[in-house]
Amino acid sequence: MTTGSSKEERGRLSGDPEGEGQSVGIPAAGELEGSSYNPLGDPGVRHWQASQISRPGLDERGNVFFAAIEMTRMPMVLTDPNQPDNPVVFVNRAFLDLTQYREDEVLGRNCRFLQGEQTDPNTVAELRQAVRDERAVAVDILNYKADGRPFWNGLFTGPVFDAGGKLLYWFASQMDITRRRVSEQSYLQAQKMEAIGQLTAGLAHDFNNLLQVVAGNLEMATFSIEDREAALQAIARAQLAGDKAGKLTQQLLTFARKQRLDPKRLNLNSLVVEFSEMLVRTLGDKVDLHLDLKPGLPSCTLDATHMEMALLNVLINARDAMPRGGRVTIATSTLADSERLDRLHLPPGTYVVICVIDEGEGMPPEVAERATEPFFTTKGPGTGLGLAMVHGFVQQSLGRLEIDSTPQRGTTIRMIFPLAQQSGIEMMGERAGGKGLNWTPAAILGRRTILVVDDSHDVRELAETHLRALGYRVLAAQSGEEALELVERYGDIDLLFSDIIMPGGMNGIRLAEAVRERQPKVPVILATGYMNELPAPTGATSSFAVMSKPYRLTDLTERVRMALEVAPRQEASGFQHEG
């Protein structure tokens, strides 16, 4: 998150000399206040990011400035942080036009009444942190009108102090940016589909080759059934090819936006290596890709899908900057230089850096300064959203984007991210040396009951056989309705493992919600090949673990182990075992 000046930083800044009188302020001075769309086209210099007033009351409403506030079409709000829950104490008429609320329905309430089920909790957390730090911040947030209609709100909010530095009010200006967001998403989707078009031919060729490897090796295994070692080698080759085919499918789903997006702990070295095949195909024959990866690179918390898309966008720019070919290097490192972090407005600490270095045409300073602006492009057929999307992703991941470029000498683009925090389970797994799978579930956890639900007989049978071999009791159903009947017949279960997309009236999410109504603490693992506008879980059912298909059986083993370890079974199970 990038916000305005802190208390200490404001003390080192001079007030606006043009604002002397009843109020003075701290100019923005070109400092970013957030990652949202900026209507000025740049961070701005003269507008205030914090203000100070000499007469704090709201009763003087007979002057030209109050008339201007009521006449402007820019919605404005004042809240009072000195009252419980920071309620709204003033709104202008443009705010009432925007939200369709009456004034008496707004005054005295916290601004959260504008939020709804699809409002991003990370954006809300960003706002709350800015309020706690008494910093200005600008965000794009999904809000809701009085009649329930959603709208994208371009929100800027900043603090107002008295002459002694006491916080008096929070000021907020707003803007309905729904049309811009929809237009931007359309351009982003078009850009992804263009990337899919570039990759489809190569992916189809590779996929057919992998299918040939799978089918051929399985056929060889059947011929070598009496030679156990040869059969195992053939099966291993088929399994490896199947893994690669699964990755190709996931890469296509990533660009089609049909995959569940979820920030999680990842290592950038591993991501680059696993994604390198697609990157090489994207760069083409004229461009050589070199990797310079720092050994032992710490992990960070990122959305792997967005990270891959950001890296691909930067690589496409590098390729286009070298029409006659050349060399592109992807490098990783760490950054802990306090002076450099201060210039980047990052807190002290250690950060992970991934950079893309090309030998292309480079950019002059005036172009490099605008490179991350939406719809700004120096390429004829481009949309101008590639680096803008990368910049937005890095900002939302609490990192920074740096661009160093020299005409005719190339460009270096750095993405800087904070380190991930290790969970207790991860640290235990590292201390165990990665041998967490070498134990018997029946010996440690006792006999646990897992309900497996999948409409595919083959997939259901595979999971059922594997889990039974691990020592679990397994109930199997081919639909959500049949699964609920099994729960009613046998009593409580210890874990639900279900596919999401299933025919009939009940998908995996609805099944999980129904089971949670009976057993609020039961662990749930869902599996799917894609997420396509499914109803979002709510309340106590908002923390479902999701596995991507195809999954490795070893991954399923570990997911089940961790789920049962974190959420142990209640003492009274009510399980009735037939026979």
Side-chain angles (χ1 to χ4, degrees), residues 457-488:
H457 172 78
D458 294 337
V459 174
R460 186 175 67 250
E461 185 179 50
L462 177 65
E464 182 181 358
T465 303
H466 176 67
L467 292 172
R468 279 198 173 128
L470 292 173
Y472 297 107
R473 295 187 183 100
V474 180
L475 303 175
Q478 63 181 352
S479 68
E481 293 80 2
E482 182 180 339
L484 288 181
E485 291 179 4
L486 289 177
V487 172
E488 289 298 323

Side-chain angles (χ1 to χ4, degrees), residues 214-233:
V214 172
N217 276 286
L218 290 178
E219 190 174 4
M220 288 179 61
T222 59
F223 296 153
S224 309
I225 195 68
E226 295 181 359
D227 186 344
R228 187 173 184 275
E229 184 175 352
L232 289 176
Q233 289 177 353

Side-chain angles (χ1 to χ4, degrees), residues 3 35 84 91 105 149 183 217 223 323 372 406 471 473 530 556 566:
T3 61
S35 56
V91 294
E105 295 176 315
R149 285 180 297 150
S183 175
N217 276 286
F223 296 153
T372 60
T406 304
R473 295 187 183 100
Y530 61 93
L556 175 61
V566 172

Side-chain angles (χ1 to χ4, degrees), residues 101-121:
Y101 282 95
R102 299 191 312 271
E103 187 176 24
D104 62 338
E105 295 176 315
V106 175
L107 296 181
R109 300 176 68 182
N110 185 281
C111 290
R112 75 174 68 92
F113 74 89
L114 293 171
Q115 299 168 16
E117 62 175 346
Q118 296 298 321
T119 302
D120 183 6

Side-chain angles (χ1 to χ4, degrees), residues 183-212:
S183 175
E184 185 176 293
Q185 289 300 318
S186 297
Y187 271 103
L188 288 172
Q189 185 68 11
Q191 190 179 47
K192 294 188 200 76
M193 296 309 294
E194 182 182 352
I196 290 178
Q198 295 176 358
L199 297 169
T200 298
L203 287 173
H205 178 267
D206 291 350
F207 199 81
N208 281 333
N209 285 343
L210 291 170
L211 289 177
Q212 176 63 60

Side-chain angles (χ1 to χ4, degrees), residues 245-524:
K247 289 180 181 179
L248 289 177
T249 303
Q250 291 304 316
Q251 287 166 352
L252 283 176
L253 292 175
T254 291
F255 288 102
R257 278 273 190 171
K258 304 221 179 258
Q259 187 172 359
R260 184 175 184 268
L261 305 180
D262 184 24
K264 60 181 65 176
R265 180 184 177 85
L266 62 84
N267 186 281
L268 287 177
N269 283 355
S270 300
L271 181 142
V272 170
V273 171
E274 293 173 1
F275 200 47
S276 59
E277 290 184 18
M278 174 171 276
L279 297 178
V280 169
R281 282 193 295 270
T282 301
L283 290 174
D285 298 335
K286 295 182 179 180
V287 179
D288 294 328
L289 177 64
H290 291 254
L291 303 183
D292 182 10
L293 307 179
K294 177 181 176 63
L297 188 75
S299 297
C300 47
T301 302
L302 297 173
D303 187 312
T305 295
H306 277 172
M307 184 64 233
E308 290 176 351
M309 290 170 58
L311 188 58
L312 187 62
N313 269 296
V314 175
L315 263 292
I316 289 174
N317 281 355
R319 179 199 65 189
D320 294 344
M322 298 185 296
R324 291 181 294 275
R327 169 173 171 163
V328 173
T329 301
I330 300 177
T332 58
S333 62
T334 56
L335 172 63
D337 187 316
S338 58
E339 292 185 4
R340 187 174 171 193
L341 292 175
D342 187 58
R343 289 197 302 270
L344 293 168
H345 300 287
L346 288 171
T350 303
Y351 292 79
V352 177
V353 182
I354 179 170
C355 63
V356 176
I357 307 165
D358 68 55
E359 302 171 341
E361 299 169 348
M363 296 178 284
E366 62 273 14
V367 174
E369 287 179 3
R370 301 188 59 192
T372 60
E373 292 181 16
F375 310 113
F376 176 78
T377 178
T378 59
K379 299 184 292 183
T383 64
L385 283 173
L387 284 182
M389 186 179 69
V390 174
H391 178 256
F393 161 68
V394 174
Q395 289 282 99
Q396 292 169 11
S397 302
L398 308 183
R400 295 291 183 273
L401 181 71
E402 272 192 331
I403 301 177
D404 289 335
S405 188
T406 304
Q408 309 308 319
R409 297 186 61 181
T411 300
T412 298
I413 294 181
R414 300 181 188 88
M415 291 174 272
I416 304 168
F417 301 104
L419 301 187
Q421 298 294 323
Q422 277 191 308
S423 68
I425 291 178
E426 287 172 330
M427 289 187 289
M428 290 172 59
E430 290 182 3
R431 286 198 295 268
K435 300 178 180 179
L437 300 179
N438 296 331
W439 50 265
T440 304
I444 295 180
L445 298 174
R447 295 276 286 178
R448 300 297 184 87
T449 302
I450 299 175
L451 176 57
V452 175
V453 189
D454 200 301
D455 60 295
S456 168
H457 172 78
D458 294 337
V459 174
R460 186 175 67 250
E461 185 179 50
L462 177 65
E464 182 181 358
T465 303
H466 176 67
L467 292 172
R468 279 198 173 128
L470 292 173
Y472 297 107
R473 295 187 183 100
V474 180
L475 303 175
Q478 63 181 352
S479 68
E481 293 80 2
E482 182 180 339
L484 288 181
E485 291 179 4
L486 289 177
V487 172
E488 289 298 323
R489 182 190 308 172
Y490 291 107
D492 290 354
I493 59 175
D494 293 291
L495 184 142
L496 171 65
F497 176 51
S498 174
D499 189 20
I500 291 182
I501 304 298
M502 294 186 293
M506 182 174 290
N507 60 43
I509 291 179
R510 293 291 175 243
L511 169 62
E513 290 174 341
V515 173
R516 283 266 178 99
E517 288 179 4
R518 174 187 175 113
Q519 291 180 251
K521 295 184 179 180
V522 67
V524 174

